[in-house]
């Protein structure tokens, strides 16, 4: 068959996605497959079996990143890489991350069964802990591989129960032998659901983001004074949760104050002792700020810091603020982005040039090699929720676009 006639097997892609969705399946139709959990291990084990079915060379590195390598005619050339992540949010969806791994696997299955030999080798990747929900920050596996995050710092991160990243990696048997450090990659593609409303609203099937916004994560800790809620007068309280409440509204008001396309969110909060008849005396909450303009995000945080300090002092609640993680905005390789749009046109898929508001491993890969992404619509624009959904035809369209993007790059000498 002519290479340009090649298409993926949409039914097989669907079966792989549905099989993976059974791992950590939640009653409401989502997945609970936290990084380095037993469910993550189960998905990894199954993924490696599938890689071996294709006779790929499988490598696991010391951050648990999994690579499957398919040889090319000239194995001295650097490979084309494509992949994403298999970990999910606590009550996540059946497509976030896993679609990019299964989509790349479907591409390799299609090349295998059609005996297509490419000039360059091709590598599929599953990156550890992309979500950053159990172990913050996000994109840790690709961040260490790209040299942006330090391995032992990543190893020391703990989840809410005090479990260390490295210990959990060892526990599930995925602290691999290979060093987690970058090697030459010709280019990187990541296939992913959009996780927003644009493609559906514009009625387009394929999105090609020009890049990913910057992501800045902060952790805020407040100290108050616990006491019995009954006898303690309102006057003179040091209620850490009330201080946090004022601060959280400041985060929510920030985009309007700053203008531009900044978003800012408090997604996580813990209040102690979390008993209805004790005034809270310890609160931790997170701040997530994103913008295409890194400087605007930095100025936003500066404004917030000033507000937080004023509120903390007025309420007599000492504050500690940590700048936990930053990844710059990532403008992708324009040639690759245009290649994706052209392939979508050739395959008669409507398409849109856009921006990614969600973070992806592609942010770090973009620091190592020419990188681009392929998006397909999220129904209702929903993601990181159990109702996350994408039409199977769109999943197939995205995989076909990925197939021809990978082939195009893998034929380059
Ligand atoms: O935060 C993000 O956008 C991604 O899910 N890690
Ligand atoms: Mn994702
Ligand atoms: Mn996600």
């Amino acid at each position: 068959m002519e290479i340009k006639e090649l298409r993926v097997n949409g039914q097989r892609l669907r079966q792989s996605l549905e099989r993976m969705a059974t791992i950590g399946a939640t009653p409401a139709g989502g997945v609970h497959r936290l990084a380095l959990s037993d469910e993550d291990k189960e998905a990894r084990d199954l993924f490696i079996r599938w890689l071996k079915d294709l006779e790929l060379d499988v490598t696991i590195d010391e951050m648990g990143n999994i690579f499957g390598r398919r040889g090319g005619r000239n194995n001295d050339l650097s490979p084309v890489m494509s992949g994403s992540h298999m970990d999910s949010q606590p009550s996540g969806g059946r497509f976030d991350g896993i679609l990019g791994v299964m989509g790349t696997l479907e591409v390799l299955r299609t090349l295998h069964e059609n005996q297509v030999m490419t000039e360059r080798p091709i590598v599929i990747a599953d990156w550890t802990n992309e979500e950053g929900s159990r172990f913050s920050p996000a994109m840790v596996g690709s961040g260490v591989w790209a040299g942006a995050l330090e391995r032992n710092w990543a190893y020391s991160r703990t989840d809410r129960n005090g479990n260390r990243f490295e210990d959990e990696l060892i526990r599930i048997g995925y602290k691999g032998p290979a060093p987690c450090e970058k090697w030459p990659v010709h280019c990187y593609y990541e296939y992913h659901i959009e996780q927003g409303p644009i493609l559906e609203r514009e009625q387009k099937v394929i999105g090609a983001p020009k890049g990913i916004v910057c992501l800045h994560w902060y952790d805020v800790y407040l100290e108050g004074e616990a006491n019995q809620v009954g006898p303690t007068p309102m006057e003179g309280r040091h209620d850490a949760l009330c201080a946090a409440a004022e601060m959280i509204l400041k985060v929510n008001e920030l985009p309007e104050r700053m203008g531009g396309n900044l978003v800012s969110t408090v997604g996580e909060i813990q209040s102690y002792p979390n008993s209805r008849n004790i005034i809270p005396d310890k609160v931790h909450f997170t701040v997530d700020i994103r913008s295409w303009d890194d400087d605007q995000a930095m100025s936003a945080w500066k404004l917030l810091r000033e507000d937080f300090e004023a509120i903390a002092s007025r309420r007599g609640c000492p504050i500690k603020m940590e700048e936990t993680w930053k990844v710059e905005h990532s403008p992708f390789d324009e040639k690759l982005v245009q290649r994706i749009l052209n392939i979508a046109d050739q395959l008669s898929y409507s398409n849109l040039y856009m921006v990614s508001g969600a973070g992806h491993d592609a942010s770090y890969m973009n620091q190592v090699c020419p990188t681009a992404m392929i998006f397909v619509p999220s129904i209702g624009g929903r993601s990181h929720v159990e109702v996350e959904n994408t039409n199977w035809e769109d999943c197939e369209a995205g995989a076909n676009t990925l197939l021809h993007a990978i082939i195009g790059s893998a034929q380059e000498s």
Side-chain angles (χ1 to χ4, degrees), residues 96-113:
D96 178 1
I98 194 73
L99 176 63
V101 183
M102 294 299 106
T104 307
L105 182 65
E106 178 49 36
V107 165
L108 293 175
R109 284 170 169 163
T110 304
L111 296 177
H112 185 76
E113 71 191 353

Side-chain angles (χ1 to χ4, degrees), residues 216-358:
H216 294 184
W217 281 11
Y218 303 95
D219 283 88
V220 180
Y221 301 88
L222 289 163
E223 293 284 327
E225 190 178 274
N227 212 332
Q228 229 275 17
V229 297
T232 311
M234 294 309 284
E235 192 57 38
R237 285 187 177 193
H238 301 294
D239 183 327
L241 193 52
C242 285
E246 274 198 72
M247 294 174 188
I248 291 165
L249 287 178
K250 291 288 182 195
V251 174
N252 185 253
E253 291 153 11
L254 197 59
E256 207 166 312
R257 278 169 77 185
M258 296 292 297
N261 63 354
L262 181 121
V263 289
S264 54
T265 316
V266 173
E268 186 182 333
I269 184 166
Q270 287 94 21
S271 170
Y272 304 94
N274 209 25
S275 162
R276 67 182 65 210
N277 43 10
I278 304 177
I279 300 167
D281 68 337
K282 275 184 188 50
V283 170
H284 161 244
F285 67 85
T286 61
V287 179
D288 175 310
I289 299 176
R290 302 186 187 197
S291 167
W292 184 254
D293 176 344
D294 298 57
D295 293 340
Q296 186 199 37
M298 300 290 281
S299 321
W301 173 244
K302 191 169 167 301
L303 260 184
L304 271 186
R305 278 189 69 97
E306 288 157 10
D307 289 345
F308 287 5
E309 269 148 13
I311 294 165
S313 108
R314 175 163 42 83
R315 286 185 172 271
C317 293
I319 186 169
K320 188 175 79 166
M321 293 178 264
E322 270 174 18
E323 303 195 359
T324 306
W325 176 62
K326 274 198 185 67
V327 59
E328 299 74 35
H329 89 285
S330 315
F332 290 149
D333 180 282
E334 201 49 35
K335 273 203 318 306
L336 287 192
V337 176
Q338 289 308 322
R339 165 178 287 169
I340 287 164
L341 295 168
N342 296 337
I343 290 168
D345 279 338
Q346 287 152 23
L347 297 174
S348 308
Y349 299 137
S350 56
N351 52 85
L352 185 71
Y353 185 73
M354 56 194 294
V355 176
S356 175

Side-chain angles (χ1 to χ4, degrees), residues 19-20 64 71 77 83 86-87 89 99 181 198 205 217 221 226 256 287 294 348 374-375 389 401:
R19 174 67 183 86
M20 279 291 182
L77 294 173
M86 300 200 290
D87 63 310
Q89 288 286 331
L99 176 63
E181 51 199 29
I198 312 286
V205 173
W217 281 11
Y221 301 88
E256 207 166 312
V287 179
D294 298 57
S348 308
I374 295 166
F375 278 173
N389 198 3
T401 308

Side-chain angles (χ1 to χ4, degrees), residues 85 96-97 130-131 192 195 360:
H85 62 96
D96 178 1
E130 188 281 341
E131 291 294 0
H192 206 286
Q195 300 184 289
H360 302 285

Side-chain angles (χ1 to χ4, degrees), residues 160-179:
R160 244 165 259 145
N161 303 321
N163 298 302
R164 282 181 72 251
F165 185 103
E166 181 186 17
D167 299 341
E168 284 295 280
L169 200 54
I170 294 167
R171 185 183 68 80
I172 67 166
Y174 276 91
K175 180 178 176 184

